[in-house]
Amino acid sequence: MWIPLLIWMLHLMILTEGQDNTRRSSSVSRVCPAGCVSCSALNGCLSCKPRLFFHLELDGMRQRGSCLSSCPRGHYGTRFPHIGTCTRCKDECASCFSEHFCTHCHPGHFLFGGKCGDSCPIGFTANTVLRECTVSECCAGCEMCVRRNMCVRCRADLYFLHGQCHLTCPKGFEPDVQLMQCTPQVHCEVGGWTNWGPCIRRSSARPYRRGQETRDRQVLKSQSVSGDPCPPVSQMRKCVNRKRPNSPRLHLTLLE
């Protein structure tokens, strides 16, 4: 801000010069750019005619002044009693009305309440075309959405699923009360049966008495809270053991 202030002080000095200096300024103005009251070959305009804005821009390593009827995009105009100046907007503003009021935003930012932010408040949608936060027409129960049928946050008592809000989860889904989301139900899955095991007799006193044999299968996937439970993973059936127990005497004879 010190450069416009310096130019303003220079402008006051020029205005307070005598009539001779006024005539000299008039002779200089004939070779100055349009709108300039005084200028220099190196720095361009030094002072402007009434109602014009003094604007400084980089020209290589130097700054050159120009007198404009309105400030260029990315700058806002401020009028003082004897001079008007152009000041650059904040970095996030593509154009602005004043230091604290943006009118357009750069890509990736959205205008809301005269400020440019990278996101919009609840109830507003980030319009990438206008680069503005526009009022969201969200579906019932939705607090924030990117478009009408695409909710991103539901009311506290509703469950979220695929961009929609549900009082109860639809078929095939179950509620997650911690995340307030509908998650897919998981049903139990089991593998195939093993072969039947050996026939085990209940008592060795009666060799022809019926026994039992069993088979098993493994659980491949456990069920979720409301998923279908696992079927039986073990089976048992009656069997007949026809093999006689070896006689101790016969056993000894065979070993000899």
Side-chain angles (χ1 to χ4, degrees):
M1 293 294 293
W2 66 271
I3 294 177
L5 181 60
L6 179 62
I7 299 300
W8 177 66
M9 293 174 64
L10 179 60
H11 185 71
L12 287 179
M13 292 173 61
I14 293 174
L15 291 179
T16 54
E17 288 180 351
Q19 186 175 2
D20 292 340
N21 289 340
T22 302
R23 284 197 296 267
R24 185 165 58 252
S25 296
S26 298
S27 64
V28 174
S29 66
R30 286 196 292 270
V31 295
C32 289
C36 295
V37 174
S38 62
C39 61
S40 72
L42 293 178
N43 300 111
C45 294
L46 300 177
S47 60
C48 299
K49 293 180 179 180
R51 306 190 63 82
L52 295 182
F53 292 97
F54 180 79
H55 175 60
L56 279 176
E57 56 187 349
L58 285 176
D59 182 12
M61 297 297 293
R62 295 194 303 268
Q63 285 187 321
R64 293 186 62 84
S66 58
C67 297
L68 307 172
S69 58
S70 61
C71 293
R73 185 178 177 85
H75 297 73
Y76 65 92
T78 304
R79 292 192 182 277
F80 297 99
H82 300 289
I83 191 173
T85 60
C86 293
T87 307
R88 184 179 295 277
C89 301
K90 291 184 177 180
D91 292 340
E92 62 270 20
C93 299
S95 62
C96 58
F97 177 75
S98 64
E99 180 183 2
H100 302 291
F101 197 94
C102 299
T103 54
H104 293 90
C105 300
H106 291 298
H109 290 77
F110 307 96
L111 183 66
F112 181 76
K115 299 183 181 299
C116 293
D118 55 5
S119 62
C120 294
I122 296 175
F124 292 83
T125 301
N127 189 315
T128 56
V129 177
L130 298 177
R131 299 176 193 168
E132 296 179 357
C133 294
T134 56
V135 178
S136 302
E137 295 181 358
C138 300
C139 55
C142 179
E143 289 187 346
M144 185 176 181
C145 60
V146 295
R147 55 181 182 271
R148 178 166 179 78
N149 293 321
M150 185 54 66
C151 186
V152 294
R153 186 166 65 193
C154 296
R155 206 173 60 203
D157 59 332
L158 299 179
Y159 297 100
F160 177 84
L161 175 65
H162 299 159
Q164 302 293 318
C165 301
H166 302 266
L167 184 60
T168 57
C169 292
K171 185 178 180 180
F173 295 86
E174 61 186 36
D176 185 325
V177 296
Q178 292 184 342
L179 299 177
M180 291 307 290
Q181 296 179 355
C182 293
T183 57
Q185 288 180 339
V186 179
H187 304 299
C188 178
E189 294 182 10
V190 295
W193 290 105
T194 61
N195 294 326
W196 287 103
C199 185
I200 301 175
R201 292 176 290 114
R202 295 179 181 177
S203 173
S204 60
R206 301 175 62 183
Y208 295 103
R209 188 172 181 177
R210 291 180 178 274
Q212 288 182 337
E213 57 185 5
T214 60
R215 66 176 182 177
D216 303 302
R217 56 183 175 182
Q218 290 185 339
V219 175
L220 303 179
K221 184 183 294 184
S222 299
Q223 78 271 18
S224 59
V225 175
S226 59
D228 294 338
C230 294
V233 295
S234 179
Q235 284 185 340
M236 184 180 296
R237 69 179 181 180
K238 294 180 179 179
C239 61
V240 176
N241 191 335
R242 299 181 181 278
K243 186 176 181 181
R244 290 175 176 271
N246 293 330
S247 171
R249 292 181 180 179
L250 180 61
H251 184 65
L252 291 173
T253 301
L254 291 174
L255 292 175
E256 294 175 357

